Amino acid sequence: MAILAFTSCKTRKLISSASSQKEVAALFDKDYNAKTFNSHLQINTKGISAKGDLRIVKDQTIYLSLQVFLGIEVARLKITPDSLVAVDRFNRRYFAESFSKLQDFTSKGVNFYTLQSLFTNRIFLSGQENLTHKDIDEFDWKTKGDETHLTPKKDSYCTFVLNGSRQLKETILTDHSDRFKLNWIYSDFSEVDNYDFPHQMEVNISSSKRKLSSSMQFARIEFGKTLNVDCTIPSRYTRIKLDDLLKMFSDLQGY
């Protein structure tokens, strides 16, 4: 009887583990079917509130516009798989550089596809554009209470935390020196056009030079809409360096 009970218990655990693995792997297929994603944002940074527009053309462009003072645009950001362009309209400055030269970002696993996944609540593997459920074998995973923690086997400095409902509740990125850490936290999930989307995101970034904390509340989410993602740089604007760009966003409350 003891042997039968032990065998039965072990079988239930194997079935439970297989079921959990299937549920987790299903998250890798998470994607919206439309070519574009568009949302209005309410952004709060250090007690200062701003409005924004986030527009994504899948696998092509991430576009972010920030507005304060009765809808006046103060900054515009455009990211493609090859480059990053930011326009500081308030101070008539701009930043433009190819991703291949942005070692401060790429060395930490941050690139276009990483950012696209962060904004759309998806799990990713560094250097890989898309995942399928077959990629579950590329991760080590363990349960902690009702949470599941996934860590890519080839990148132990990235962790994905799933809640009891098998939703991605947090993505954590660090670097080898432990001087950089990014926590991207998701909450307030609801379905939009059959896509389970978090309407609240909190971003915390810390490095040896600065810290940035910001929250984003999503509203009026639309899929499949034709989007304008133009980021033309006026000829009279002055080009700035990466540190100036990062300071611009960390000092957003100064506008």
Side-chain angles (χ1 to χ4, degrees):
M1 290 179 64
I3 293 173
L4 289 173
F6 175 78
T7 303
S8 175
C9 180
K10 186 175 181 180
T11 301
R12 285 199 300 271
K13 287 182 179 180
L14 288 173
I15 293 173
S16 176
S17 177
S19 176
S20 297
Q21 184 170 352
K22 186 176 180 179
E23 290 177 3
V24 171
L27 267 183
F28 295 178
D29 293 322
K30 180 179 181 179
D31 197 2
Y32 51 94
N33 296 321
K35 185 65 178 177
T36 63
F37 168 93
N38 178 52
S39 177
H40 293 289
L41 301 177
Q42 187 71 34
I43 304 171
N44 296 291
T45 304
K46 295 182 180 179
I48 303 299
S49 181
K51 292 184 178 180
D53 288 303
L54 175 65
R55 303 169 189 173
I56 298 177
V57 181
K58 189 185 293 185
D59 299 331
Q60 294 182 22
T61 306
I62 299 171
Y63 173 97
L64 180 63
S65 171
L66 299 178
Q67 306 106 32
V68 296
F69 298 145
L70 302 176
I72 298 175
E73 185 181 59
V74 295
R76 185 180 293 187
L77 181 70
K78 182 177 181 179
I79 306 170
T80 68
D82 299 321
S83 64
L84 187 153
V85 176
V87 179
D88 177 1
R89 302 177 73 86
F90 192 82
N91 295 300
R92 297 184 177 182
R93 307 180 301 173
Y94 77 95
F95 172 86
E97 193 59 88
S98 65
F99 257 115
S100 62
K101 296 182 179 180
L102 297 176
Q103 293 298 319
D104 281 353
F105 287 161
T106 56
S107 64
K108 299 173 177 62
V110 178
N111 55 40
F112 172 84
Y113 297 102
T114 301
L115 292 169
Q116 181 175 245
S117 296
L118 287 169
F119 275 115
T120 55
N121 188 235
R122 295 167 63 191
I123 296 171
F124 56 86
L125 283 171
S126 181
Q128 191 167 320
E129 294 182 13
N130 297 292
L131 297 183
T132 69
H133 67 277
K134 296 179 181 179
D135 289 306
I136 186 66
D137 292 333
E138 300 298 322
F139 291 81
D140 290 321
W141 62 297
K142 57 184 177 181
T143 57
K144 293 184 177 182
D146 63 347
E147 292 183 348
T148 301
H149 291 223
L150 297 175
T151 304
K153 293 179 179 178
K154 296 181 180 179
D155 184 7
S156 60
Y157 297 93
C158 180
T159 301
F160 303 95
V161 183
L162 314 182
N163 61 22
S165 299
R166 295 293 189 259
Q167 296 164 324
L168 176 59
K169 62 173 286 188
E170 184 176 7
T171 296
I172 304 168
L173 285 176
T174 61
D175 67 359
H176 297 267
S177 66
D178 279 336
R179 295 177 181 175
F180 169 85
K181 187 173 184 179
L182 180 149
N183 289 73
W184 202 293
I185 304 168
Y186 306 94
S187 58
D188 192 17
F189 286 83
S190 65
E191 195 171 280
V192 181
D193 291 349
N194 298 316
Y195 189 73
D196 192 26
F197 191 82
H199 287 62
Q200 187 77 27
M201 298 185 189
E202 181 181 335
V203 182
N204 300 300
I205 303 174
S206 61
S207 69
S208 57
K209 293 183 179 180
R210 59 179 57 87
K211 293 183 179 181
L212 174 64
S213 295
S214 182
S215 64
M216 297 178 288
Q217 186 174 357
F218 289 70
R220 295 169 61 184
I221 297 171
E222 298 175 292
F223 293 100
K225 181 180 179 180
T226 301
L227 302 178
N228 176 16
V229 290
D230 177 65
C231 196
T232 303
I233 303 170
S235 59
R236 65 184 183 276
Y237 279 30
T238 303
R239 189 168 184 168
I240 60 176
K241 298 181 178 180
L242 179 61
D243 281 347
D244 298 318
L245 172 66
L246 296 176
K247 189 175 187 301
M248 180 185 80
F249 282 100
S250 63
D251 292 344
L252 181 63
Q253 71 274 15
Y255 285 117

